[in-house]
Amino acid sequence: MRHPYILATLLAASGPCFCQNDARSGIDLYGIVDAGLRATDGLAANNAPAHTGHTTSLASGVDNTSRWGIKGREALAGGWSAVFRLESGFNADTGTQAKGDRLFDRQAWAGLDSPYGQLALGRQPNLLSDALVTVDPLGKRFASFNPNINVAGLSNTAFGTHAFGRQYGPSGYADNFYRLDNTVKYTLNTGPWTARAAYAAGELAGDASASSSEGAALGWQHSGLALSGAAQRFRSREDLVLDAWMLGAALHRGAWQLKATAARNDADTGGGKTVRQRVLSAGARRTLAHGLLVTAALYTVRRTATGLQDDGFDRAILFVERTLAPRTTAYVEADWTRWRGDAAGVTAGRPNDRHGTGLTLGLMQKF
C-alpha cells in the first residue's frame, strides 16, 4: 500500500468542506512540526545510554511530538454528532513516518458524541495515557524521553535487561502498549468529573481474552485542583497478564502549577518470572512574563525482575519556552539522567556511561 496515494485520496475526497471550521459540523486538518538541534553527552542520538562522548543531532518532537491529523464532526438530531479522528506521527528531521508499517499510528477511530457521553471505536491511546494529560509534570512533553509516557504509560519497556520482551494487548508492537488497536472507549463528562472505560479486543480465534485489554479511569477538576487516575489490564497471546495503574494530582494557583504522579505496573513474563516497574514524578511550571514559560520536572524509575539485579534511573528535565506567535514557540530544553543498577547496559562490550546530559534548542509550529 502506497501511503502518499492514500493521503492524496483523503484530501481530494474531502472536497470543499475540507478545513471547514464550524461549531456543529466540519473537517479540520491540524498538526505540529517540532524540530531542534540537540547536543548530548553519555546519550546516543536516540537518547539511549552510550559511551562517554558528545553527540550532536537534529531531533524531532522534543517539545511536542511532530504529527498531522484530520478530525471531523457532523451534527445529527437531538444533540448527537458523528465524529472521527485520524492522526499520524512523523519525524521532522528525516520526513519519515514515526511507524513505517502504519499510516495512522497515533489514532484512527470513529464514533458518536452525545449528551450521554462519547463512544469511540478504533486505534486509541490507552487509559493510562488519557489520565496523564492533566497531571504529568511536563505536560507530556518530550514523549520519547518522558518516563511517565515510556514507563508509566507503557510506550517503551524495552530498555536494559528488564524488557518485557513480548506484546501485551492489541498494540501491534512488543514492549509498546501506549496505543491499542480494536478499542471501544466510552467517555462521560459530568460536572467536574470525567469517567472513561475501555475494552480492546485481541481478536484471536478460540480465546476471547488473549491479547485483550480492559480498564477504567476517573478524573476530577475544580477550582484549580485536578485529580486523575487509571487502572488497566493487558494480556499477551499466551494470556500472561500485565496490570498497570497510575494516580496524579495538579494544583494551579496564580502563575504557578504544581504536579505529581505515582505509577506502577507488574508483568508476568512467563516461566515463573515477573517484571515490576515503579515511577514517581513531581514538577512545577511558572509563567515568568508574557509568553515566557518555565517547566521543571524530576522523575524516578525503579525496576525489579526475577533473577536480575534491580535497576532504574533518575531524570531531571527543564523547559524554557517563548511564544513568538499564536502558533509558533521557541524553546530550550535541558536534561540530566543517572542510571542505576545495570540499566545503562553495555555497547560493543564496553560499559555505557552511568550519567547522561542533553541540551536542545528547538522550534515548534502548530497548524
Side-chain angles (χ1 to χ4, degrees):
M1 183 178 293
R2 300 183 63 84
H3 294 161
Y5 294 122
I6 295 175
L7 174 58
T9 302
L10 286 170
L11 297 178
S14 62
C17 69
F18 192 73
C19 293
Q20 178 183 350
N21 187 11
D22 187 289
R24 290 174 51 83
S25 299
I27 298 176
D28 293 305
L29 173 67
Y30 67 92
I32 296 172
V33 183
D34 184 322
L37 184 64
R38 180 163 170 79
T40 61
D41 184 40
L43 296 172
N46 64 354
N47 295 315
H51 298 315
T52 301
H54 299 285
T55 302
T56 302
S57 61
L58 187 63
S60 174
V62 170
D63 195 313
N64 272 265
T65 302
S66 296
R67 72 195 74 167
W68 71 274
I70 305 170
K71 60 182 178 179
R73 173 181 295 270
E74 184 172 18
L76 306 175
W80 289 63
S81 297
V83 292
F84 76 89
R85 185 183 292 261
L86 305 171
E87 188 173 290
S88 177
F90 65 90
N91 302 306
D93 52 332
T94 62
T96 56
Q97 291 178 207
K99 301 289 186 184
D101 60 336
R102 295 171 186 257
L103 176 57
F104 297 111
D105 61 301
R106 294 177 59 85
Q107 298 188 66
W109 56 264
L112 292 172
D113 197 9
S114 77
Y116 311 102
Q118 178 177 280
L119 184 67
L121 297 85
R123 181 169 175 83
Q124 301 172 69
N126 67 35
L127 294 174
L128 305 166
S129 169
D130 293 336
L132 281 167
V133 170
T134 57
V135 295
D136 174 52
L138 282 181
K140 300 183 78 173
R141 290 170 176 81
F142 211 165
S144 64
F145 203 55
N146 183 327
N148 265 345
I149 295 177
N150 291 329
V151 184
L154 299 170
S155 77
N156 181 11
T157 64
F159 71 91
T161 58
H162 291 48
F164 292 172
R166 65 180 70 247
Q167 177 181 319
Y168 293 86
S171 67
Y173 306 100
D175 291 301
N176 183 341
F177 330 117
Y178 193 70
R179 297 179 176 87
L180 301 177
D181 298 339
N182 316 322
T183 297
V184 179
K185 183 185 292 185
Y186 173 72
T187 303
L188 175 65
N189 293 294
T190 175
W193 296 95
T194 299
R196 293 184 174 91
Y199 171 76
E203 297 188 346
L204 294 179
D207 191 343
S209 66
S211 290
S212 67
S213 179
E214 69 272 349
L218 186 64
W220 178 87
Q221 295 188 62
H222 183 68
S223 300
L225 177 64
L227 303 174
S228 183
Q232 191 155 359
R233 169 166 287 188
F234 306 77
R235 297 178 182 85
S236 72
R237 293 179 62 92
E238 303 81 12
D239 273 318
L240 300 174
V241 172
L242 162 63
D243 285 322
W245 61 263
M246 65 76 52
L247 293 171
L251 178 65
H252 189 181
R253 287 290 184 269
W256 286 93
Q257 286 190 26
L258 306 176
K259 298 181 179 183
T261 66
R264 172 172 159 171
N265 49 70
D266 297 83
D268 179 355
T269 56
K273 297 180 179 181
T274 61
V275 176
R276 174 178 297 166
Q277 302 187 119
R278 293 165 293 168
V279 185
L280 296 176
S281 72
R285 168 178 157 174
R286 180 175 170 80
T287 302
L288 296 181
H290 179 68
L292 185 63
L293 182 65
V294 177
T295 305
L298 175 64
Y299 298 86
T300 65
V301 177
R302 299 294 181 266
R303 307 192 305 172
T304 62
T306 304
L308 296 173
Q309 178 187 1
D310 293 354
D311 73 6
F313 60 90
D314 304 310
R315 178 167 294 158
I317 303 177
L318 172 70
F319 272 91
V320 179
E321 298 164 287
R322 175 72 180 186
T323 300
L324 304 179
R327 295 187 299 273
T328 303
T329 300
Y331 63 87
V332 176
E333 178 275 340
D335 55 82
W336 170 88
T337 301
R338 176 177 61 186
W339 305 101
R340 294 179 174 271
D342 59 359
V346 298
T347 300
R350 295 174 52 195
N352 290 322
D353 198 332
R354 298 187 62 80
H355 296 82
T357 57
L359 181 66
T360 311
L361 177 63
L363 186 69
M364 176 180 64
Q365 295 179 289
K366 299 180 179 180
F367 60 88

